[in-house]
Amino acid sequence: MYIQVIFAVKFRESKISDEMKNEVEKYICGIFNNKKQKVLAIYANADHIHIFFCYRNISISIPDLMKVVKVESTNFINEKKFLRSPFYWQEGYGAFSYSKSQKENVINYILNQKEHHQKRSFKDEYIGFLNKFEIDFKNEYIFDFLD
């Protein structure tokens, strides 16, 4: 199964700098590998992250996997002292499934995040995903967006 997960930095602050981006992405890929999952594409924006992976339900559920990814990557960022203030991911995440035929399009979409977000805000992007996948939502249950 092909899954894209999206989650945000707490309070949607732009805390993931270009200097730390590659290390954070590599570390998160390592977490997925340790859990027997294969990352196909990852992109850490300043205020949110996209991870597209091939989910192999070997011994971990998606919610448990996301908990491990968020906790361990938070600890990594804080232990490396990339920032002067503590780093946290915002509670929750979005998970969207795709067919094998959509794989290359999703990979390209994720790897082109920098250009994509010059035209569209994260809020518009995320609500667009919810609408595209016909997911009913209440504003209080989606990320806290800074307007």
Side-chain angles (χ1 to χ4, degrees):
M1 185 171 10
Y2 298 96
I3 305 290
Q4 177 181 195
V5 292
I6 305 168
F7 48 94
V9 174
K10 188 159 185 154
F11 303 121
R12 289 279 332 292
E13 293 180 295
S14 293
K15 288 197 164 192
I16 300 175
S17 67
D18 288 339
E19 294 77 29
M20 66 190 268
K21 175 187 180 324
N22 288 337
E23 281 192 65
V24 170
E25 289 174 349
K26 286 178 190 175
Y27 190 82
I28 289 173
C29 286
I31 297 168
F32 275 84
N33 288 336
N34 288 339
K35 297 298 179 187
K36 310 281 191 260
Q37 308 301 318
K38 182 179 179 183
V39 172
L40 303 171
I42 185 170
Y43 196 94
N45 292 283
D47 62 351
H48 71 283
I49 191 165
H50 292 254
I51 307 165
F52 184 50
F53 65 103
C54 181
Y55 177 63
R56 301 176 185 137
N57 185 7
I58 294 174
S59 61
I60 191 164
S61 67
I62 292 173
D64 288 343
L65 177 61
M66 290 305 95
K67 182 177 181 181
V68 169
V69 168
K70 290 172 83 173
V71 167
E72 290 186 11
S73 62
T74 295
N75 292 341
F76 171 76
I77 292 167
N78 288 324
E79 287 168 9
K80 291 288 270 183
K81 299 188 188 307
F82 285 123
L83 304 164
R84 293 181 185 184
S85 59
F87 177 89
Y88 301 100
W89 294 110
Q90 191 162 315
E91 189 177 328
Y93 61 91
F96 307 94
S97 66
Y98 295 87
S99 67
K100 186 175 184 179
S101 66
Q102 296 170 300
K103 186 170 96 170
E104 291 305 316
N105 288 339
V106 178
I107 289 170
N108 290 332
Y109 176 82
I110 290 173
L111 296 180
N112 288 304
Q113 282 290 294
K114 187 173 185 176
E115 294 80 20
H116 176 73
H117 282 294
Q118 290 175 354
K119 302 174 194 159
R120 192 173 190 194
S121 72
F122 173 50
K123 180 179 183 178
D124 289 343
E125 174 189 48
Y126 192 75
I127 291 173
F129 275 110
L130 295 173
N131 290 328
K132 177 181 175 183
F133 284 84
E134 299 178 0
I135 298 171
D136 292 331
F137 65 94
K138 294 182 181 177
N139 285 330
E140 63 264 26
Y141 295 117
I142 61 173
F143 300 125
D144 292 329
F145 290 103
L146 303 175
D147 290 319

